[in-house]
Coordinates of all heavy atoms in Angstrom, one line a residue:
M1 N -79.4 68.5 40.7 CA -79.7 67.3 39.9 C -79.1 66.1 40.6 O -78.0 66.1 41.0 CB -79.0 67.4 38.5 CG -79.6 68.5 37.7 SD -81.3 68.3 37.5 CE -81.7 68.6 35.9
P2 N -79.8 65.0 40.7 CA -81.2 64.8 40.4 C -82.1 65.5 41.4 O -81.6 65.8 42.5 CB -81.3 63.3 40.4 CG -80.3 62.9 41.4 CD -79.2 63.8 41.2
P3 N -83.4 65.7 41.1 CA -84.3 66.2 42.1 C -84.3 65.4 43.3 O -84.1 64.2 43.3 CB -85.6 66.2 41.4 CG -85.3 66.1 39.9 CD -84.0 65.3 39.8
S4 N -84.4 66.0 44.5 CA -84.5 65.3 45.7 C -85.7 65.9 46.5 O -86.2 67.0 46.2 CB -83.2 65.5 46.5 OG -83.1 66.8 47.0
P5 N -86.1 65.3 47.6 CA -87.2 65.8 48.4 C -86.8 67.0 49.2 O -87.7 67.7 49.8 CB -87.6 64.6 49.3 CG -86.4 63.7 49.3 CD -85.6 64.0 48.1
Y6 N -85.5 67.3 49.3 CA -85.1 68.5 50.1 C -84.1 69.4 49.3 O -83.4 68.9 48.5 CB -84.3 68.0 51.4 CG -85.2 67.1 52.2 CD1 -85.1 65.7 52.2 CD2 -86.1 67.7 53.1 CE1 -85.9 65.0 53.0 CE2 -86.9 66.9 53.9 CZ -86.8 65.6 53.8 OH -87.6 64.8 54.6
C7 N -84.2 70.7 49.7 CA -83.3 71.6 49.0 C -81.8 71.3 49.4 O -81.5 71.1 50.6 CB -83.6 73.0 49.5 SG -82.4 74.3 49.0
P8 N -80.9 71.2 48.4 CA -79.5 70.9 48.8 C -78.8 72.0 49.5 O -77.8 71.7 50.1 CB -78.9 70.6 47.4 CG -79.7 71.4 46.4 CD -81.1 71.4 47.0
E9 N -79.3 73.2 49.5 CA -78.7 74.3 50.2 C -79.2 74.4 51.6 O -78.3 74.6 52.5 CB -79.0 75.6 49.5 CG -78.5 75.7 48.0 CD -77.0 75.7 47.9 OE1 -76.4 76.4 48.8 OE2 -76.5 75.1 47.0
C10 N -80.5 74.4 51.9 CA -81.0 74.6 53.2 C -81.7 73.4 53.8 O -82.2 73.5 55.0 CB -81.9 75.8 53.2 SG -83.5 75.6 52.3
Q11 N -81.9 72.4 53.1 CA -82.6 71.1 53.6 C -84.1 71.3 53.8 O -84.7 70.5 54.4 CB -81.9 70.6 54.8 CG -80.5 70.3 54.7 CD -80.2 69.3 53.5 OE1 -80.8 68.3 53.4 NE2 -79.2 69.7 52.7
S12 N -84.7 72.4 53.3 CA -86.1 72.6 53.4 C -86.9 71.7 52.5 O -86.4 71.4 51.3 CB -86.4 74.1 53.0 OG -87.8 74.2 52.9
P13 N -88.0 71.2 52.9 CA -88.8 70.3 52.0 C -89.7 71.2 51.1 O -90.3 70.7 50.1 CB -89.7 69.5 53.0 CG -89.8 70.4 54.2 CD -88.5 71.1 54.3
D14 N -89.7 72.5 51.3 CA -90.5 73.4 50.4 C -89.7 73.7 49.2 O -88.5 74.2 49.3 CB -90.9 74.7 51.2 CG -91.7 74.4 52.4 OD1 -92.5 73.4 52.4 OD2 -91.5 75.1 53.4
K15 N -90.3 73.5 48.0 CA -89.5 73.8 46.8 C -90.4 74.5 45.8 O -91.6 74.4 45.9 CB -89.1 72.5 46.0 CG -88.7 71.4 46.7 CD -88.3 70.3 45.7 CE -88.9 69.1 46.2 NZ -88.2 67.9 46.0
Q16 N -89.7 75.2 44.9 CA -90.4 75.8 43.8 C -89.6 75.5 42.6 O -88.4 75.6 42.5 CB -90.4 77.3 44.0 CG -91.2 77.8 45.2 CD -91.1 79.3 45.3 OE1 -90.5 80.0 44.5 NE2 -91.8 79.8 46.3
W17 N -90.3 75.0 41.5 CA -89.7 74.6 40.3 C -89.5 75.9 39.5 O -90.5 76.5 39.1 CB -90.5 73.6 39.5 CG -90.5 72.3 40.2 CD1 -91.4 71.8 41.0 CD2 -89.5 71.2 40.1 NE1 -91.1 70.5 41.5 CE2 -89.9 70.2 40.9 CE3 -88.3 71.1 39.4 CZ2 -89.1 69.0 41.0 CZ3 -87.6 70.0 39.5 CH2 -88.0 68.9 40.3
P18 N -88.3 76.3 39.2 CA -88.0 77.5 38.4 C -88.3 77.3 36.9 O -88.3 76.2 36.4 CB -86.6 77.8 38.6 CG -86.0 76.4 38.7 CD -87.0 75.6 39.5
T19 N -88.7 78.4 36.3 CA -88.8 78.4 34.8 C -87.4 78.9 34.3 O -87.0 80.0 34.7 CB -89.9 79.4 34.4 OG1 -91.1 79.0 34.9 CG2 -90.0 79.4 32.9
L20 N -86.8 78.0 33.6 CA -85.4 78.3 33.1 C -85.5 78.9 31.7 O -86.4 78.6 30.9 CB -84.6 77.0 33.1 CG -84.4 76.4 34.5 CD1 -83.6 75.1 34.4 CD2 -83.8 77.3 35.5
P21 N -84.4 79.6 31.3 CA -84.5 80.3 30.0 C -84.2 79.3 28.8 O -84.3 79.7 27.7 CB -83.4 81.3 30.1 CG -82.4 80.8 31.1 CD -83.3 80.1 32.1
G22 N -83.7 78.1 29.1 CA -83.4 77.2 28.0 C -82.0 77.3 27.4 O -81.8 76.8 26.3
T23 N -81.2 78.0 28.1 CA -79.8 78.2 27.6 C -78.9 77.6 28.7 O -79.2 77.4 29.8 CB -79.5 79.7 27.4 OG1 -79.7 80.4 28.6 CG2 -80.3 80.2 26.2
A24 N -77.6 77.3 28.2 CA -76.6 76.7 29.1 C -75.3 77.1 28.6 O -75.1 77.6 27.4 CB -76.8 75.2 29.2
T25 N -74.2 76.7 29.3 CA -72.8 76.9 29.0 C -72.2 75.5 29.0 O -72.3 74.8 29.9 CB -72.1 77.8 29.9 OG1 -72.9 79.1 30.0 CG2 -70.7 78.1 29.5
V26 N -71.4 75.2 27.9 CA -70.7 73.9 27.9 C -69.6 73.9 29.0 O -68.7 74.8 29.0 CB -70.1 73.7 26.5 CG1 -69.2 72.4 26.5 CG2 -71.2 73.6 25.4
F27 N -69.7 73.0 29.9 CA -68.8 72.8 31.0 C -67.7 71.8 30.5 O -66.5 72.0 30.8 CB -69.5 72.3 32.2 CG -68.5 71.9 33.3 CD1 -68.0 72.9 34.1 CD2 -68.2 70.6 33.6 CE1 -67.1 72.6 35.2 CE2 -67.4 70.3 34.6 CZ -66.8 71.3 35.4
S28 N -68.1 70.7 29.8 CA -67.2 69.7 29.4 C -67.8 69.0 28.2 O -69.0 69.0 28.0 CB -66.9 68.7 30.5 OG -66.0 67.7 30.2
F29 N -67.0 68.3 27.4 CA -67.5 67.6 26.3 C -66.5 66.5 25.8 O -65.3 66.5 26.2 CB -67.8 68.5 25.1 CG -66.6 69.1 24.4 CD1 -66.1 68.5 23.3 CD2 -66.1 70.3 24.9 CE1 -65.0 69.1 22.6 CE2 -65.0 70.8 24.2 CZ -64.5 70.2 23.1
A30 N -66.9 65.6 25.0 CA -66.1 64.6 24.4 C -66.5 64.5 22.9 O -67.7 64.7 22.6 CB -66.2 63.2 25.1
I31 N -65.6 64.1 22.1 CA -65.9 63.8 20.7 C -65.8 62.3 20.5 O -64.8 61.7 20.7 CB -65.0 64.5 19.7 CG1 -65.2 66.0 19.9 CG2 -65.3 64.1 18.3 CD1 -64.2 66.9 19.1
C32 N -67.0 61.7 20.3 CA -67.0 60.2 20.1 C -67.1 59.9 18.6 O -67.8 60.6 17.9 CB -68.2 59.6 20.9 SG -68.1 59.9 22.6
T33 N -66.4 58.9 18.2 CA -66.3 58.7 16.7 C -66.9 57.3 16.3 O -66.9 57.0 15.1 CB -64.8 58.7 16.3 OG1 -64.1 57.7 17.0 CG2 -64.2 60.1 16.5
H34 N -67.5 56.6 17.2 CA -68.1 55.3 16.8 C -69.4 55.1 17.6 O -69.5 55.4 18.8 CB -67.1 54.1 17.1 CG -66.0 54.1 16.2 ND1 -64.8 54.9 16.4 CD2 -65.7 53.4 15.0 CE1 -64.0 54.7 15.4 NE2 -64.5 53.8 14.6
D35 N -70.3 54.5 16.9 CA -71.6 54.1 17.6 C -71.3 53.1 18.7 O -70.7 52.0 18.4 CB -72.5 53.5 16.5 CG -73.9 53.2 17.1 OD1 -74.0 52.5 18.1 OD2 -74.9 53.6 16.5
P36 N -71.7 53.3 19.9 CA -71.4 52.4 21.0 C -72.0 51.1 20.9 O -71.6 50.1 21.4 CB -71.8 53.2 22.3 CG -72.8 54.2 21.8 CD -72.5 54.5 20.4
K37 N -73.1 51.0 20.2 CA -73.8 49.7 20.0 C -73.3 48.8 18.9 O -73.1 47.6 19.1 CB -75.3 50.0 19.8 CG -76.2 48.7 19.7 CD -77.6 49.0 19.6 CE -78.5 47.8 19.6 NZ -79.9 48.1 19.5
T38 N -73.0 49.5 17.8 CA -72.6 48.7 16.6 C -71.1 48.8 16.3 O -70.5 48.0 15.6 CB -73.3 49.2 15.3 OG1 -72.9 50.5 15.1 CG2 -74.8 49.1 15.5
G39 N -70.4 49.8 16.8 CA -69.0 50.0 16.5 C -68.7 50.7 15.2 O -67.6 50.9 14.8
Q40 N -69.8 51.0 14.5 CA -69.7 51.6 13.2 C -69.3 53.1 13.4 O -69.6 53.7 14.4 CB -71.0 51.6 12.4 CG -71.4 50.2 12.1 CD -70.4 49.5 11.1 OE1 -70.0 50.0 10.2 NE2 -70.1 48.2 11.5
P41 N -68.5 53.7 12.4 CA -68.2 55.1 12.5 C -69.4 56.0 12.6 O -70.4 55.8 11.8 CB -67.4 55.3 11.2 CG -66.9 54.0 10.7 CD -68.0 53.0 11.2
Y42 N -69.4 56.8 13.6 CA -70.5 57.8 13.8 C -70.0 58.8 14.8 O -69.5 58.5 15.9 CB -71.7 57.0 14.4 CG -72.8 57.9 14.8 CD1 -73.7 58.4 13.8 CD2 -73.1 58.2 16.1 CE1 -74.8 59.2 14.2 CE2 -74.2 58.9 16.5 CZ -75.0 59.4 15.5 OH -76.1 60.2 15.9
V43 N -70.0 60.1 14.4 CA -69.5 61.1 15.3 C -70.7 61.8 16.1 O -71.7 62.1 15.5 CB -68.8 62.2 14.4 CG1 -68.4 63.4 15.4 CG2 -67.6 61.6 13.7
Y44 N -70.5 61.8 17.4 CA -71.5 62.5 18.2 C -70.7 63.2 19.4 O -69.6 62.8 19.7 CB -72.6 61.6 18.7 CG -72.2 60.5 19.6 CD1 -72.3 60.5 21.0 CD2 -71.6 59.3 19.0 CE1 -71.9 59.5 21.7 CE2 -71.2 58.3 19.8 CZ -71.3 58.3 21.2 OH -70.9 57.3 21.9
V45 N -71.4 64.2 20.0 CA -70.7 65.0 21.0 C -71.5 65.0 22.3 O -72.5 65.8 22.4 CB -70.4 66.4 20.5 CG1 -69.7 67.2 21.6 CG2 -69.6 66.4 19.2
P46 N -71.2 64.1 23.3 CA -71.9 64.3 24.6 C -71.3 65.5 25.3 O -70.1 65.7 25.2 CB -71.5 63.0 25.3 CG -70.4 62.4 24.6 CD -70.3 63.0 23.2
V47 N -72.1 66.2 26.0 CA -71.7 67.4 26.8 C -72.2 67.4 28.2 O -73.2 66.7 28.5 CB -72.2 68.7 26.1 CG1 -71.5 68.9 24.7 CG2 -73.7 68.7 25.9
V48 N -71.5 68.1 29.0 CA -72.0 68.5 30.4 C -72.2 70.0 30.3 O -71.3 70.7 29.9 CB -71.0 68.1 31.5 CG1 -71.6 68.5 32.8 CG2 -70.7 66.6 31.5
V49 N -73.4 70.4 30.6 CA -73.7 71.9 30.5 C -74.1 72.4 31.9 O -74.7 71.7 32.7 CB -74.8 72.2 29.5 CG1 -74.4 71.8 28.1 CG2 -76.1 71.5 29.8
D50 N -73.7 73.7 32.2 CA -74.2 74.4 33.3 C -75.5 75.1 32.9 O -75.5 75.9 31.9 CB -73.2 75.5 33.7 CG -72.0 74.9 34.5 OD1 -72.2 74.0 35.3 OD2 -70.9 75.3 34.2
L51 N -76.6 74.8 33.5 CA -77.9 75.4 33.2 C -78.0 76.8 33.6 O -77.8 77.1 34.8 CB -79.0 74.5 33.7 CG -79.1 73.1 33.3 CD1 -80.2 72.3 34.0 CD2 -79.4 73.0 31.8
D52 N -78.3 77.7 32.7 CA -78.6 79.1 33.1 C -79.8 79.2 33.9 O -80.8 78.5 33.7 CB -78.7 80.0 31.8 CG -77.4 80.1 31.0 OD1 -76.4 79.8 31.6 OD2 -77.5 80.5 29.9
G53 N -79.8 80.0 35.0 CA -80.9 80.2 35.9 C -81.0 79.1 37.0 O -82.0 79.2 37.7
A54 N -80.1 78.2 37.0 CA -80.1 77.1 38.0 C -78.7 76.9 38.5 O -78.0 76.0 38.2 CB -80.7 75.8 37.5
P55 N -78.2 77.9 39.3 CA -76.8 77.8 39.8 C -76.4 76.4 40.4 O -77.2 75.9 41.2 CB -76.7 78.9 40.8 CG -77.8 79.8 40.5 CD -78.9 79.0 39.9
G56 N -75.4 75.8 39.9 CA -74.9 74.6 40.4 C -75.5 73.4 39.8 O -75.1 72.2 40.0
A57 N -76.5 73.6 38.9 CA -77.2 72.4 38.2 C -76.5 72.2 36.9 O -76.3 73.1 36.1 CB -78.6 72.7 38.0
R58 N -76.1 70.9 36.7 CA -75.5 70.5 35.4 C -76.3 69.4 34.9 O -76.9 68.6 35.6 CB -74.0 70.1 35.7 CG -73.1 71.2 36.0 CD -71.7 70.8 36.0 NE -70.9 72.0 36.3 CZ -69.8 72.1 37.1 NH1 -69.4 70.9 37.7 NH2 -69.1 73.2 37.2
L59 N -76.3 69.3 33.5 CA -77.0 68.3 32.8 C -76.1 67.6 31.8 O -75.3 68.3 31.1 CB -78.2 68.9 32.1 CG -79.2 68.0 31.4 CD1 -79.9 67.1 32.4 CD2 -80.2 68.8 30.6
V60 N -76.2 66.3 31.7 CA -75.5 65.6 30.7 C -76.4 65.3 29.5 O -77.5 64.9 29.7 CB -75.0 64.2 31.2 CG1 -74.3 63.4 30.1 CG2 -74.0 64.4 32.4
S61 N -76.0 65.7 28.3 CA -76.8 65.6 27.1 C -75.9 65.4 25.9 O -74.7 65.1 26.0 CB -77.7 66.8 27.0 OG -78.6 66.7 25.9
N62 N -76.5 65.6 24.7 CA -75.7 65.6 23.5 C -75.8 66.9 22.8 O -76.8 67.7 23.0 CB -76.3 64.5 22.5 CG -75.9 63.1 22.9 OD1 -74.8 62.9 23.3 ND2 -76.8 62.2 22.8
L63 N -74.8 67.3 22.0 CA -74.8 68.5 21.3 C -74.9 68.2 19.8 O -74.1 67.4 19.3 CB -73.5 69.3 21.6 CG -73.3 70.7 21.0 CD1 -74.4 71.6 21.4 CD2 -72.0 71.2 21.3
G64 N -75.8 68.9 19.1 CA -76.0 68.7 17.7 C -76.0 70.0 17.0 O -75.9 71.1 17.6
G65 N -76.1 70.0 15.7 CA -76.1 71.2 14.9 C -74.8 71.9 14.8 O -74.8 73.1 14.5
I66 N -73.7 71.2 15.0 CA -72.4 71.9 15.0 C -71.4 70.8 14.6 O -71.5 69.7 14.9 CB -72.1 72.5 16.3 CG1 -70.8 73.3 16.2 CG2 -72.0 71.5 17.4 CD1 -70.5 74.2 17.5
D67 N -70.4 71.2 13.9 CA -69.2 70.3 13.6 C -68.5 70.1 14.9 O -68.2 71.0 15.6 CB -68.3 71.0 12.5 CG -67.2 70.1 12.1 OD1 -67.5 69.2 11.2 OD2 -66.1 70.2 12.6
A68 N -68.2 68.8 15.1 CA -67.5 68.4 16.4 C -66.2 69.2 16.6 O -65.9 69.6 17.8 CB -67.2 67.0 16.4
D69 N -65.5 69.6 15.6 CA -64.3 70.4 15.8 C -64.5 71.8 16.2 O -63.6 72.5 16.6 CB -63.5 70.4 14.5 CG -62.9 69.0 14.1 OD1 -62.7 68.2 15.0 OD2 -62.7 68.7 12.9
D70 N -65.7 72.3 16.1 CA -66.0 73.7 16.5 C -66.6 73.8 18.0 O -66.8 74.9 18.4 CB -67.1 74.3 15.6 CG -66.5 74.4 14.1 OD1 -65.3 74.6 14.0 OD2 -67.3 74.4 13.2
V71 N -66.8 72.7 18.7 CA -67.3 72.7 20.0 C -66.2 73.2 21.0 O -65.0 72.8 20.8 CB -67.7 71.3 20.5 CG1 -68.2 71.4 21.9 CG2 -68.8 70.8 19.5
R72 N -66.5 74.1 21.9 CA -65.6 74.7 22.8 C -66.2 74.8 24.2 O -67.4 75.1 24.4 CB -65.2 76.1 22.4 CG -64.5 76.2 21.1 CD -63.1 75.7 21.1 NE -62.4 75.8 19.8 CZ -62.3 74.8 19.0 NH1 -62.8 73.6 19.2 NH2 -61.6 75.0 17.9
I73 N -65.4 74.6 25.2 CA -65.8 74.8 26.6 C -66.1 76.3 26.8 O -65.4 77.1 26.3 CB -64.7 74.3 27.6 CG1 -64.7 72.8 27.6 CG2 -65.0 74.9 29.0 CD1 -63.5 72.2 28.4
G74 N -67.2 76.6 27.4 CA -67.6 78.0 27.6 C -68.6 78.5 26.6 O -69.1 79.6 26.7
M75 N -68.8 77.7 25.5 CA -69.8 78.2 24.5 C -71.2 78.1 25.0 O -71.6 77.3 25.8 CB -69.6 77.5 23.2 CG -70.1 76.0 23.2 SD -69.8 75.1 21.6 CE -70.8 76.1 20.5
T76 N -72.0 79.1 24.5 CA -73.4 79.1 24.9 C -74.2 78.2 24.0 O -74.1 78.3 22.8 CB -73.9 80.6 24.8 OG1 -73.1 81.4 25.7 CG2 -75.4 80.7 25.3
V77 N -75.1 77.4 24.6 CA -76.0 76.5 23.8 C -77.4 76.7 24.3 O -77.7 77.3 25.3 CB -75.5 75.1 24.0 CG1 -74.2 74.8 23.4 CG2 -75.5 74.7 25.5
K78 N -78.3 76.2 23.5 CA -79.8 76.3 23.8 C -80.4 74.9 23.7 O -79.9 74.1 22.9 CB -80.5 77.3 22.9 CG -80.5 76.9 21.5 CD -81.2 78.0 20.6 CE -81.2 77.6 19.2 NZ -81.9 78.5 18.3
V79 N -81.4 74.7 24.5 CA -82.1 73.4 24.5 C -82.9 73.2 23.2 O -83.4 74.2 22.6 CB -83.0 73.2 25.7 CG1 -84.2 74.1 25.7 CG2 -83.3 71.8 25.9
A80 N -82.9 72.0 22.7 CA -83.7 71.6 21.6 C -84.3 70.3 22.0 O -83.7 69.5 22.8 CB -82.9 71.4 20.3
W81 N -85.5 70.0 21.6 CA -86.2 68.8 22.0 C -86.2 67.7 21.0 O -86.7 68.0 19.9 CB -87.6 69.1 22.5 CG -87.6 70.1 23.6 CD1 -87.8 71.5 23.6 CD2 -87.3 69.8 25.0 NE1 -87.6 72.0 24.8 CE2 -87.3 71.0 25.7 CE3 -87.1 68.6 25.7 CZ2 -87.1 71.0 27.1 CZ3 -86.8 68.7 27.0 CH2 -86.9 69.9 27.7
N82 N -85.7 66.6 21.3 CA -85.6 65.5 20.3 C -86.6 64.4 20.6 O -86.6 63.8 21.7 CB -84.2 64.8 20.5 CG -83.9 63.8 19.5 OD1 -84.3 63.8 18.3 ND2 -83.2 62.8 19.9
P83 N -87.6 64.2 19.7 CA -88.6 63.2 20.0 C -88.0 61.8 20.0 O -87.2 61.5 19.1 CB -89.6 63.4 18.8 CG -88.9 64.2 17.8 CD -87.8 64.9 18.5
I84 N -88.4 61.0 21.0 CA -87.8 59.7 21.0 C -88.8 58.6 20.9 O -88.5 57.5 20.3 CB -87.0 59.5 22.3 CG1 -87.8 59.8 23.6 CG2 -85.7 60.3 22.3 CD1 -87.1 59.4 24.9
E85 N -90.0 58.7 21.4 CA -91.1 57.7 21.3 C -92.4 58.3 21.8 O -92.4 58.9 22.9 CB -90.7 56.4 22.0 CG -91.7 55.3 21.8 CD -91.2 54.0 22.5 OE1 -90.0 53.8 22.5 OE2 -92.1 53.3 23.0
G86 N -93.4 58.1 21.0 CA -94.7 58.6 21.5 C -94.7 60.1 21.7 O -94.2 60.8 20.9
D87 N -95.1 60.5 22.9 CA -95.1 61.9 23.2 C -93.8 62.3 24.0 O -93.7 63.4 24.5 CB -96.3 62.3 24.1 CG -97.6 62.2 23.3 OD1 -97.5 62.4 22.1 OD2 -98.7 62.0 23.9
W88 N -92.9 61.3 24.2 CA -91.7 61.6 24.9 C -90.7 62.4 24.1 O -90.5 62.1 22.9 CB -91.0 60.2 25.4 CG -91.8 59.5 26.4 CD1 -92.9 58.7 26.2 CD2 -91.6 59.6 27.8 NE1 -93.3 58.3 27.5 CE2 -92.6 58.8 28.4 CE3 -90.7 60.3 28.6 CZ2 -92.6 58.7 29.8 CZ3 -90.8 60.1 30.0 CH2 -91.7 59.3 30.6
V89 N -90.0 63.3 24.8 CA -88.9 64.0 24.1 C -87.7 64.0 25.0 O -87.8 63.9 26.3 CB -89.3 65.5 23.8 CG1 -90.4 65.5 22.7 CG2 -89.8 66.2 25.1
L90 N -86.5 64.2 24.5 CA -85.3 64.2 25.2 C -84.6 65.5 25.0 O -84.5 66.0 23.8 CB -84.4 63.1 24.6 CG -83.1 62.8 25.4 CD1 -83.4 62.2 26.8 CD2 -82.3 61.7 24.6
P91 N -84.1 66.2 26.1 CA -83.5 67.5 25.9 C -82.1 67.2 25.3 O -81.3 66.5 25.8 CB -83.4 68.1 27.3 CG -83.4 66.9 28.2 CD -84.3 65.9 27.5
I92 N -81.8 67.9 24.2 CA -80.5 67.9 23.6 C -80.1 69.4 23.5 O -80.9 70.3 23.7 CB -80.4 67.2 22.3 CG1 -81.3 67.8 21.2 CG2 -80.7 65.7 22.5 CD1 -81.1 67.3 19.8
F93 N -78.9 69.7 23.1 CA -78.5 71.1 22.9 C -77.9 71.4 21.5 O -77.5 70.5 20.8 CB -77.5 71.5 24.0 CG -78.1 71.6 25.4 CD1 -78.3 70.4 26.1 CD2 -78.6 72.8 25.8 CE1 -78.9 70.5 27.4 CE2 -79.2 72.8 27.1 CZ -79.4 71.7 27.9
E94 N -78.0 72.6 21.1 CA -77.4 73.1 19.9 C -76.8 74.5 20.1 O -77.2 75.1 21.1 CB -78.5 73.1 18.8 CG -79.7 74.0 19.1 CD -80.8 73.9 18.1 OE1 -80.9 72.8 17.4 OE2 -81.5 74.8 17.9
P95 N -76.0 75.0 19.2 CA -75.4 76.3 19.5 C -76.5 77.4 19.6 O -77.5 77.3 18.9 CB -74.5 76.5 18.2 CG -74.2 75.2 17.7 CD -75.4 74.3 18.0
A96 N -76.2 78.3 20.5 CA -77.3 79.4 20.7 C -77.3 80.4 19.6 O -78.3 81.0 19.4 CB -77.0 80.0 22.1
A97 N -76.2 80.6 19.0 CA -76.2 81.7 17.9 C -75.4 81.2 16.7 O -74.6 80.4 16.7 CB -75.6 83.0 18.5

């Protein structure tokens, strides 16, 4: 991450986009308690996840569907798609089980 014209391991320009399982492991997280735009109280959890099936690839996203106090490093999460505008969606994560 981010995609580049060359493989980061061997520098080959030949690539294959893998099909990933849609799961990941929480590598790091923060608990934020205020909306960054308005300053109003609002709890959200930005995470850095290690993507399963893509060794070395990490993604920054948000974690939902869980109480902030229950988030742990090493927990398994799955991708969920958050519609943002038109046909656009944003990958977010939620607990896997």
Side-chain angles (χ1 to χ4, degrees):
M1 296 301 224
S4 73
Y6 299 98
C7 172
E9 299 292 322
C10 68
Q11 303 305 312
S12 170
D14 300 327
K15 323 182 225 218
Q16 295 179 0
W17 290 96
T19 300
L20 301 179
T23 55
T25 303
V26 174
F27 174 79
S28 180
F29 69 95
I31 298 174
C32 299
T33 58
H34 290 81
D35 184 308
K37 185 174 181 180
T38 66
Q40 296 298 314
Y42 175 76
V43 176
Y44 62 100
V45 182
V47 292
V48 177
V49 297
D50 285 316
L51 297 173
D52 293 342
R58 290 188 176 139
L59 184 67
V60 177
S61 186
N62 285 320
L63 182 63
I66 187 171
D67 186 82
D69 291 333
D70 294 333
V71 179
R72 300 286 180 261
I73 290 174
M75 72 184 294
T76 303
V77 294
K78 63 182 178 180
V79 72
W81 298 99
N82 185 35
I84 54 174
E85 185 175 325
D87 292 336
W88 289 85
V89 292
L90 187 66
I92 60 171
F93 288 86
E94 59 188 27

